[in-house]
Amino acid sequence: MRRGILPIVGSRIEDVQAADCAKRPILIAPKPAAFRRRVIGQKITEIGRVGKRVVVRLASSDAMIFEPRMTGLVLLAAPPTIEHLRLKVALSGGKHKELLFWDRRGLGLVRLVTPREFDKLYGLEKLGPDALAVTSVELRDRLATSRRAIKVALLDQRALAGVGNLYASEILHLARVHPACPCDQLRPAQWQAIHAAILEVLNLAIRYEGSTLGDGTYRNALNEQGGFQNHHRVYDRAGEACPSCGKTQIQRIVQAQRSTFFCDRCQKPGRKRRAAAAGQ
DNA sequence: CATATGTCCTGAGAGC
DNA sequence: TGCTCTCAGGACATAT
């Protein structure tokens, strides 16, 4: 998403229109009037990212934060439907005349923040290191003492920022780690494998511009489908043969109310620690 | 403090 | 056919 709207760097914001949304009035903070006043006339200096949010930085040093959650899209082209268009930002001085935020389910949000608010909302207190920048050692240090299942821990944005449910399954299959294995039972070599798989899977998904699943919701900034769904190893493939061993059917289980997909041949549960048993 | 569960939202699909 | 029910997974509030 960040890469998709990079072309608007240098453009100036001419206008902002927020759709009235009775269900979720807190679509925008601050309130529309203040939002408009602080944004109109501003030049866009940079497009950044913090975890799963897109950050549009302005010359004033304020930043617009786009948080798509499940079905939110950041667009430079016409949206999938005129319904569910939440925010329209009119631009000048560049190729693109509009930046849009469209969100079918309305779980996403857009807010404007000062640098101080940015740190408070998205600083190290709230978000872990970025998944594309974390080192293997840092990853292990932050997660290895947890008793939670590794799949559940990977989704904790305070521990590690940027991994979502789909990619957690993909990462653990590539790393050959069982999703239900408690973090504190993983061996150093497994942490290295997970770290390598995080980079591999996320970078590949970025190259293919994301996963457009059955409901067709995800689109890139030009409202085109992603391609990574054709490269999913396990996600949404329950019952199909595992792409690694070709022998076992991919399983679907539920962890923390979310689907997990894995191969029980390639991703063996970790052995219980021998030390504990031997000590008795 | 560390984990676990409930909540919000919409539209698709299942089942009857 | 048309109704109800369940589910999808982001982040955060509340509970254990």
Side-chain angles (χ1 to χ4, degrees), chain A residues 201-254:
Chain A
V201 168
L202 294 185
N203 281 316
L204 207 59
I206 290 166
R207 196 172 315 147
Y208 283 105
E209 299 193 74
S211 303
T212 301
L213 301 177
D215 68 359
T217 298
Y218 178 73
R219 304 263 150 178
N220 69 12
L222 300 178
N223 192 17
E224 300 162 330
Q225 283 200 23
F228 192 63
Q229 67 280 3
N230 301 318
H231 299 269
H232 286 174
R233 307 166 65 89
V234 290
Y235 185 82
D236 214 13
R237 294 193 184 282
E240 294 181 32
C242 167
S244 292
C245 67
K247 294 174 179 170
T248 306
Q249 285 189 355
I250 292 159
Q251 310 281 309
R252 176 186 177 272
I253 59 173
V254 173

Side-chain angles (χ1 to χ4, degrees), chain A residues 64-277:
Chain A
M64 292 174 70
I65 311 295
F66 291 80
E67 186 170 328
R69 300 206 184 170
M70 263 307 289
T71 54
L73 296 178
V74 175
L75 295 157
L76 299 180
T81 67
I82 49 165
E83 227 189 342
H84 305 130
L85 184 58
R86 311 287 171 160
L87 190 74
K88 206 187 284 192
V89 181
L91 304 171
S92 67
K95 182 183 170 195
H96 298 278
K97 299 301 174 205
E98 278 183 339
L99 169 65
L100 307 175
F101 185 70
W102 179 93
D103 187 6
R104 176 161 61 73
R105 272 160 67 180
L107 295 176
L109 53 90
V110 178
R111 53 161 49 111
L112 183 70
V113 296
T114 63
R116 177 189 290 265
E117 289 167 336
F118 183 92
D119 289 341
K120 199 171 172 184
L121 285 166
Y122 311 114
L124 292 177
E125 301 270 306
K126 294 288 182 85
L127 286 180
D130 190 86
L132 289 177
V134 72
T135 65
S136 172
V137 170
E138 197 178 6
L139 177 73
R140 196 177 72 199
D141 284 351
R142 293 187 69 92
L143 291 178
T145 59
S146 173
R147 290 195 296 272
R148 287 183 298 180
I150 178 63
K151 160 66 167 31
V152 175
L154 280 177
L155 298 179
D156 181 351
Q157 303 298 298
R158 304 174 81 116
L160 179 72
V163 175
N165 192 56
L166 186 164
Y167 296 108
S169 284
E170 294 296 305
I171 286 162
L172 292 175
H173 183 263
L174 182 59
R176 306 179 76 89
V177 170
H178 195 288
C181 183
C183 290
D184 61 4
Q185 287 184 24
L186 288 166
R187 298 154 43 90
Q190 291 180 297
W191 285 111
Q192 281 184 20
I194 292 167
H195 175 255
I198 288 171
L199 293 177
E200 172 94 21
V201 168
L202 294 185
N203 281 316
L204 207 59
I206 290 166
R207 196 172 315 147
Y208 283 105
E209 299 193 74
S211 303
T212 301
L213 301 177
D215 68 359
T217 298
Y218 178 73
R219 304 263 150 178
N220 69 12
L222 300 178
N223 192 17
E224 300 162 330
Q225 283 200 23
F228 192 63
Q229 67 280 3
N230 301 318
H231 299 269
H232 286 174
R233 307 166 65 89
V234 290
Y235 185 82
D236 214 13
R237 294 193 184 282
E240 294 181 32
C242 167
S244 292
C245 67
K247 294 174 179 170
T248 306
Q249 285 189 355
I250 292 159
Q251 310 281 309
R252 176 186 177 272
I253 59 173
V254 173
Q255 297 179 281
Q257 286 90 246
R258 271 108 183 106
S259 298
T260 301
F261 298 87
F262 73 109
C263 168
D264 61 9
R265 176 190 293 257
C266 297
Q267 297 164 266
K268 293 280 191 205
R271 262 183 286 172
K272 293 257 160 82
R273 282 188 191 173
R274 279 165 180 249

Side-chain angles (χ1 to χ4, degrees), chain A residues 2 47-55 118 130-133 161-162:
Chain A
R2 185 189 73 83
I47 312 293
R49 179 180 65 76
V50 55
K52 300 174 184 174
R53 294 136 174 123
V54 178
V55 180
F118 183 92
D130 190 86
L132 289 177

Side-chain angles (χ1 to χ4, degrees), chain A residues 12-90:
Chain A
R12 182 204 298 271
I13 296 175
E14 296 293 330
D15 196 12
V16 178
Q17 299 281 347
D20 284 324
C21 183
K23 285 268 169 70
R24 281 213 146 191
I26 317 175
L27 187 65
I28 295 179
K31 289 177 185 150
F35 195 106
R36 284 170 55 87
R37 178 172 43 76
R38 282 166 55 186
V39 147
I40 291 175
Q42 290 294 320
K43 247 192 175 169
I44 294 168
T45 57
E46 187 187 342
I47 312 293
R49 179 180 65 76
V50 55
K52 300 174 184 174
R53 294 136 174 123
V54 178
V55 180
V56 177
R57 294 193 183 279
L58 307 178
S60 61
S61 82
D62 281 347
M64 292 174 70
I65 311 295
F66 291 80
E67 186 170 328
R69 300 206 184 170
M70 263 307 289
T71 54
L73 296 178
V74 175
L75 295 157
L76 299 180
T81 67
I82 49 165
E83 227 189 342
H84 305 130
L85 184 58
R86 311 287 171 160
L87 190 74
K88 206 187 284 192
V89 181

